[in-house]
Amino acid sequence: MHDDSQQDEWSLETLAIRAGHQRTFEQEHSEPIFPTSSFVYESAAEAARKFGGQEPGNVYSRFTNPTVHTFERRLAALEGGERCVATSSGMSAILSTALALLSAGDEVVASRSLFGSTVSLFDKYLGKFGITTRYVELSNIAAWEAAVSPATKLLFAETPSNPLSEVADIPALAALAKRSGALLAIDNCFLTPALQQPIALGADLVIHSATKYLDGQGRAIGGAVVGRHDVLEEVFGVVRTCGPCLSPFNAWIFTKGLETLALRMNAHCENAMTLARWLDQHPAVNKVYYSGLEAHPQHALAKQQQRGFGAVLGFEVKGGQSGAWQVIDATRMLSITGNLGDVKTTITHPATTTHGRLSDDQKEAAGITPGLIRVAVGLESQADIQRDLARGLDALTAR
């Protein structure tokens, strides 16, 4: 895009292709990669100005790299945020946010249905520095309100949740955060800005594992935080000083991934909805967790604040862990992996993989049962996905 000041008039699909790229003197059409650790100056005075912040420019690729900046500007435009800070992974995005905003004695109120590593980060690592995290049911606003105290500085939620597809009322949480003097951070990696824009709904910060749908093809690890300039300046300070920075090559991959984001997410949603309805009718399946289904308790809320229901669904099968493993092991095409956000459909057993480090009590509280399977629906033929799952499901029905 020749002039980013004009980007307010462009749609998300256009921003995903055009925003953030500032052409060099070479007048390249595609975004370049700058695989360099450092930058040179015409004089000592210029170096002093740039190191001191008196003059904009690149200093060191740990915190200033043109390729990374392109990705940051593009994602900020898609999320409707003032600024983005890219990080080396989704977990480092959460860590950088916590280090920037929290001090000993502060408290976090978070959904209990968080990614297992996020829970470990809050409890094991932030906890030993005197930061307390209280966990509540994602969809219960009264529980959130009861958990907030004068020491609460951050509300943190994934919505929809992994893998039960619970949905948080983002405007209600935003109002609570504002009343409490806290900030609201929403992990948006399951829906991306193509399907949900938390900042427009009142959130202060959006967290991404860019590894997932922003890339979309399982090629690279990265993360990002989007929000206001003043808050993001603190997050940038953590990345600059502590070094959890995104590599230029990975930033370039994510930037190119964003170009097809809207197309991919729409196709993912269509495939996931078809699969959810098919699973809902299968006799070996006890329950399907997908907010696109009308029977889902937050279906109306999801329709209200999302433009689609995403590609991740959970379903509970007969036979507990034995039944779940039988279904997973019977697949021939689906990828057995804990990752998601790929054009390839992935399948995993949350209780022993993504949430395996949680205690039995934590699993029970988060609804992670032994018979639960998570599928992140890819872009293969829907008939092939169903046929691959049917191998194990039909065998469960027959036994």
Side-chain angles (χ1 to χ4, degrees):
M1 191 168 292
H2 305 299
D3 184 359
D4 280 351
S5 67
Q6 301 294 311
Q7 67 185 26
D8 287 348
E9 66 186 68
W10 304 112
S11 66
L12 182 139
E13 290 81 0
T14 302
L15 291 173
I17 295 171
R18 297 283 183 175
H21 178 200
Q22 297 177 353
R23 291 193 183 115
T24 72
F25 64 89
E26 300 288 358
Q27 289 298 295
E28 70 282 347
H29 190 216
S30 183
E31 299 82 359
I33 309 175
F34 288 87
T36 181
S37 58
S38 62
F39 304 86
V40 297
Y41 311 101
E42 294 295 329
S43 66
E46 181 192 0
R49 292 193 301 272
K50 288 183 176 175
F51 268 76
Q54 290 84 30
E55 181 178 316
N58 300 305
V59 175
Y60 187 55
S61 278
R62 187 178 72 242
F63 56 97
T64 52
N65 180 276
T67 312
V68 176
H69 287 334
T70 297
F71 168 64
E72 290 173 332
R73 288 190 294 265
R74 184 166 296 180
L75 184 57
L78 295 182
E79 285 287 7
E82 294 178 354
R83 184 176 179 182
C84 170
V85 173
T87 64
S88 58
S89 68
M91 289 308 305
S92 68
I94 299 172
L95 173 62
S96 298
T97 300
L99 291 176
L101 303 179
L102 302 173
S103 303
D106 289 345
E107 295 181 358
V108 178
V109 179
S111 160
R112 63 167 55 102
S113 52
L114 292 179
F115 177 46
S117 292
T118 306
V119 175
S120 297
L121 170 63
F122 285 164
D123 289 349
K124 183 176 180 180
Y125 296 103
L126 298 186
K128 74 177 183 178
F129 293 110
I131 298 167
T132 300
T133 303
R134 306 180 192 280
Y135 296 97
V136 297
E137 183 182 348
L138 177 65
S139 58
N140 187 341
I141 295 299
W144 285 86
E145 190 144 11
V148 168
S149 79
T152 301
K153 296 295 186 293
L154 181 67
L155 308 185
F156 190 95
E158 296 174 17
T159 180
S161 71
N162 173 21
L164 301 184
S165 198
E166 298 172 283
V167 178
D169 187 332
I170 296 176
L173 287 180
L176 173 60
K178 187 173 183 179
R179 291 196 304 272
S180 307
L183 296 176
L184 172 62
I186 297 293
D187 187 321
N188 198 32
C189 78
F190 272 39
L191 292 184
T192 80
L195 302 179
Q196 176 175 265
Q197 292 175 306
I199 290 173
L201 297 170
D204 299 288
L205 295 165
V206 176
I207 306 288
H208 276 286
S209 171
T211 313
K212 310 303 190 292
Y213 294 103
L214 300 190
D215 171 18
Q217 296 185 53
R219 299 169 293 188
I221 303 289
V225 189
V226 182
R228 300 195 312 267
H229 276 298
D230 57 340
V231 179
L232 267 294
E233 184 63 24
E234 295 299 317
V235 178
F236 172 72
V238 171
V239 173
R240 175 174 182 156
T241 303
C242 301
C245 54
L246 182 63
S247 77
F249 183 72
N250 287 8
W252 179 80
I253 287 177
F254 298 142
T255 300
K256 302 309 287 183
L258 289 176
E259 293 179 350
T260 59
L261 180 64
L263 289 170
R264 286 187 287 104
M265 294 311 294
N266 288 337
H268 279 296
C269 289
E270 183 178 343
N271 256 8
M273 179 65 81
T274 301
L275 184 64
R277 295 195 187 284
W278 177 77
L279 287 168
D280 200 39
Q281 299 301 313
H282 198 286
V285 176
N286 291 328
K287 188 171 184 180
V288 178
Y289 299 92
Y290 186 64
S291 63
L293 295 176
E294 290 79 0
H296 189 281
Q298 288 99 43
H299 175 69
L301 175 61
K303 284 183 65 176
Q304 180 180 328
Q305 68 183 24
Q306 302 170 192
R307 289 186 290 275
F309 303 105
V312 179
L313 57 86
F315 61 100
E316 192 170 329
V317 299
K318 300 181 186 303
Q321 178 173 310
S322 174
W325 281 21
Q326 179 178 325
V327 172
I328 293 170
D329 291 348
T331 60
R332 297 292 178 267
M333 183 266 288
L334 273 59
S335 302
I336 304 174
T337 177
N339 196 32
L340 57 92
D342 203 305
V343 293
K344 301 179 179 73
T345 299
T346 67
I347 188 169
T348 195
H349 183 244
T352 53
T353 59
T354 57
H355 294 69
R357 287 183 290 171
L358 300 183
S359 68
D360 289 342
D361 288 343
Q362 287 174 317
K363 289 176 188 175
E364 183 179 356
I368 308 299
T369 63
L372 183 69
I373 295 172
R374 188 193 74 190
V375 171
V377 186
L379 302 185
E380 305 96 341
S381 160
Q382 180 61 223
D384 290 339
I385 298 172
Q386 290 181 16
R387 184 163 56 249
D388 209 31
L389 284 169
R391 301 178 208 276
L393 291 173
D394 291 350
L396 275 186
T397 305
R399 77 181 190 182

